[in-house]
């Protein structure tokens, strides 16, 4: 009863931490926003393939599905505002080289050298400082598609007057907090796991959890462009995004194998090993292909999504995570994995609705996977707290039983059973020993 109460307490504390974490960063996201920013989505003309569309809302514009590498899209708009000093134009592009002009005068350029070299251009937010007098001047944004995986929808264009960094951080506060927390937790988990591995092989699972946490934290900060607060290298940020994402299935498969070792039918365990082999092969092939500029990481994304969906369905129909003999800490770990995969599938649906179907909605512009990863890690923490508590309690009980079995309750000295075990050890080692018997108080005669 006491153990069950403590387990419930651990679970309540974990959920309370999760709620406080979410409330804190949700409140933080409301602070530091630039409430004076101007939305520049209406009234654009878009030229592609020799045809021009006028009076376009750029945030809702759907890029033609036949767009190919090397195609150019030109966005133009007549500015009818009086821009304040230190104003900044902000917009986002995906896998595209970009040039910005004011009345045909270049004021910004990104990614053209990388595009000409056939290397990854990357994705991210562009921040362009505007001169003071731009009223009645035409702004032109030229976008050269660098990957077939370029987004099929455009992005919102905004002008910020101040608080550029704080506005960007506030809008990504939850993602930044989740990513940083996951990375810090991973460092602690791996460090403790490697030290504790000398004590018990079961801590190998903690190391795998640490690697999963780090990869998801890094992916979160790259995908949500939080890492742009530290580096404006779009290509490097996007490279980290794909590497961290493509590596996640490897420790995840190892974790599933570790959890179910010796408890699954042979064909089910062989299936997990097969998924692990495919995950390793996929990462190696995509990495070599990217390094040789044969096909960049972005080209392999549909295959990765297919792999994740198949793995999820295999776990579901083969009942990989179902076991009535699971203890409390293992059940909590299973719940965390199920939540993580569920958030992953939801995010896949969101991604394809936005990326390939061209659905434009601010509500689906933000990924929920960081929240799923955070819940996953919280469940893992609860699971390991319960595990460590059970280990300590079991060890304490065993020590108490040893005291009862091998010591005399009256004198506190070793009894005959303990002496016989000592003699057995000495006999096995063929050791030489002597026995000295001293009767100090005549107790031997009494017995």
């Amino acid at each position: 009863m006491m153990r069950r109460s403590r387990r419930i307490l651990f679970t309540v504390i974990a959920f309370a931490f999760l709620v406080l974490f979410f409330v804190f960063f949700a409140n933080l996201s409301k602070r530091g926003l630039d409430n004076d920013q101007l939305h520049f989505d209406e009234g654009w003309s878009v030229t592609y393939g020799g045809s021009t569309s006028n009076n376009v809302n750029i945030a809702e514009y759907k890029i033609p599905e036949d767009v190919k590498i090397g195609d150019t899209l030109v966005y133009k708009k007549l500015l009818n505002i009086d821009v304040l000093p230190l104003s900044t134009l902000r917009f986002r592009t995906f896998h595209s080289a970009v040039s910005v002009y004011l009345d045909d005068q270049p004021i910004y350029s990104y990614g053209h050298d990388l595009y000409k070299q056939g290397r990854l251009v990357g994705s991210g937010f562009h921040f362009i400082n505007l001169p003071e007098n731009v009223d009645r001047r035409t702004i032109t944004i030229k976008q050269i598609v660098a990957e077939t995986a370029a987004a099929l929808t455009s992005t919102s264009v905004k002008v910020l007057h101040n608080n550029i960094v704080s506005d960007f951080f506030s809008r990504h506060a939850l993602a930044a907090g989740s990513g940083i927390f996951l990375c810090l937790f991973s460092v602690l988990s791996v460090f403790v796991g490697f030290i504790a591995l000398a004590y018990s092989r079961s801590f190998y699972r903690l190391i795998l959890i640490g690697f999963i946490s780090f990869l998801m934290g890094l992916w979160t900060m790259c995908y949500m462009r939080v890492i742009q607060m530290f580096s404006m290298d779009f290509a490097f940020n996007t490279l980290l995004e794909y590497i961290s994402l493509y590596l996640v299935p490897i420790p995840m498969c190892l974790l599933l194998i570790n959890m179910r070792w010796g408890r699954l039918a042979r064909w089910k365990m062989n299936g997990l090993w097969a998924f692990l082999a495919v995950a390793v092969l996929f990462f190696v092939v995509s990495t070599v292909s990217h390094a040789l500029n044969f096909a960049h990481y972005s080209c392999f994304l549909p295959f990765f999504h297919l792999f994740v969906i198949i793995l999820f369905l295999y776990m579901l129909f083969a009942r990989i995570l179902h076991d009535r003999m699971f203890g409390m800490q293992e059940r909590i770990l299973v719940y965390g994995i199920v939540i993580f995969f569920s958030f992953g599938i939801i995010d896949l649906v969101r991604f394809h609705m936005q990326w390939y179907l061209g659905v434009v909605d601010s509500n689906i512009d933000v990924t929920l996977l960081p929240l799923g990863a955070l819940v996953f890690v919280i469940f893992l923490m609860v699971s390991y707290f319960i595990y460590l508590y059970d280990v300590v309690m079991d060890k304490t009980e065993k020590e108490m039983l040893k005291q009862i079995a091998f010591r005399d309750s009256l004198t506190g000295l070793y009894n005959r059973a303990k002496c016989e075990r000592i003699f057995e050890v000495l006999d096995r080692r063929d050791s030489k020993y002597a026995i000295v018997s001293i009767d100090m108080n005549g107790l031997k005669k009494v017995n």
Side-chain angles (χ1 to χ4, degrees), residues 169-302:
F169 177 79
S170 297
R171 296 182 185 279
H172 299 82
L174 183 59
S178 301
I180 294 173
F181 174 81
L182 290 171
C183 289
L184 292 178
F185 174 80
S186 71
V187 173
L188 179 63
S189 299
V190 173
F191 178 75
V192 174
F194 273 113
I195 293 177
L197 201 60
Y199 172 76
S200 173
R201 291 183 61 186
S202 62
F203 285 93
Y204 166 70
R205 184 182 300 179
L206 185 61
I207 297 175
L208 294 177
I209 291 170
F211 280 120
I212 296 173
S213 177
F214 175 77
L215 293 173
M216 288 309 307
L218 181 61
W219 177 84
T220 297
M221 291 190 291
C222 291
Y223 182 80
M224 297 304 296
R225 314 305 168 200
V226 176
I227 204 168
Q228 278 195 223
M229 292 187 292
F230 312 100
S231 171
M232 292 298 292
D233 189 343
F234 292 2
F236 180 69
N237 295 348
T238 306
L239 183 67
L240 287 180
E241 175 190 342
Y242 284 112
I243 289 177
S244 57
L245 182 65
Y246 290 170
L247 279 174
V248 168
I250 296 176
M252 181 60 72
C253 288
L254 288 172
L255 178 63
L256 293 173
I257 291 172
N258 176 265
M259 288 177 56
R260 308 300 282 122
W261 186 265
R263 300 183 180 182
L264 285 179
R266 187 170 183 177
W267 70 270
K268 293 183 180 181
M269 185 60 69
N270 289 339
L272 289 177
W273 282 108
F275 276 106
L276 175 61
V278 172
V280 173
L281 181 63
F282 173 83
F283 180 75
V284 171
V285 171
S286 61
T287 301
V288 172
S289 177
H290 180 89
L292 297 177
N293 276 334
F294 177 72
H296 293 154
Y297 276 127
S298 56
C299 300
F300 293 89
L301 194 58

Side-chain angles (χ1 to χ4, degrees), residues 94-150:
F94 300 91
H95 303 295
S96 301
V98 176
S99 297
V100 180
Y101 303 85
L102 267 179
D103 289 341
D104 298 327
Q105 294 180 359
I107 61 172
Y108 177 82
S109 179
Y110 169 78
H112 293 279
D113 292 339
L114 295 172
Y115 167 70
K116 291 177 181 178
Q117 297 171 11
R119 297 165 59 190
L120 183 69
V121 174
S123 307
F125 285 92
H126 300 270
F127 297 89
I128 306 161
N129 295 326
L130 296 176
E132 292 187 27
N133 300 316
V134 296
D135 192 25
R136 310 309 299 175
R137 298 179 68 178
T138 300
I139 186 170
T140 303
I141 301 176
K142 289 186 179 180
Q143 175 186 359
I144 301 177
V145 178
E147 302 283 349
T148 53

Side-chain angles (χ1 to χ4, degrees), residues 327-365:
M328 175 64 75
Q329 65 102 3
E330 288 180 312
R331 286 201 299 271
I332 292 177
L333 185 58
V334 168
Y335 297 153
I337 293 176
V338 170
I339 291 174
F340 178 70
F341 269 91
S342 300
F343 272 86
I345 297 300
I346 293 173
D347 198 66
L348 281 179
V349 175
R350 177 204 64 82
F351 177 85
H352 284 273
M353 288 177 62
Q354 183 183 31
W355 199 266
Y356 296 108
L357 300 180
V359 177
V360 180
D361 191 335
S362 59
N363 293 324
I364 66 171
D365 191 43

